[in-house]
Amino acid sequence: MLFLRTGPSLTGPWSDSQTIYHIPELNPSKPGYDKDTFCYAGKEHPEFEHSGDLVFTYACNTNKPKKLETEPNIYFPQAVRMAMP
C-alpha cells in the first residue's frame, strides 16, 4: 500500500496516514503474484501533475535473482497518475 500524509508546511504538523493506492504486485489474488516480491520507494512527482491529480512512482524487487531475467516490471519504476484523494 502507498500512504499519503498532508501538512501545511514541510515541517508539518502532519495528518494521519491515508491509504491511497494498493500496489497490484502485492495482491495475492492477482495473476503473477509472488510472495518473494516486495515494493518500496514511493515518491511523488509534482513536476508531472496537473490540477487535481497526483503522480507517483514506486519500484518492486524480488528475493529471487533469476526472476530479474524474466520479469520486465521487477526493479523498474512504475508510474501512476490518479485523481488527488
Side-chain angles (χ1 to χ4, degrees), residues 13-81:
W14 295 99
S15 67
D16 290 337
S17 296
Q18 174 186 357
T19 301
I20 60 165
Y21 187 75
H22 292 272
I23 298 172
E25 291 87 347
L26 301 179
N27 184 339
S29 67
K30 296 284 184 181
Y33 169 78
D34 183 345
K35 66 178 178 55
D36 291 313
T37 296
F38 57 95
C39 300
Y40 58 98
K43 182 181 184 320
E44 180 185 12
H45 294 277
E47 67 274 21
F48 299 119
E49 294 173 355
H50 301 284
S51 180
D53 69 3
L54 177 66
V55 176
F56 58 89
T57 56
Y58 65 92
C60 294
N61 208 331
T62 180
N63 291 318
K64 297 177 180 174
K66 280 291 201 188
K67 191 172 181 178
L68 294 170
E69 298 172 9
T70 60
E71 293 291 326
N73 291 336
I74 295 293
Y75 208 64
F76 188 80
Q78 303 299 305
V80 177
R81 180 183 298 273

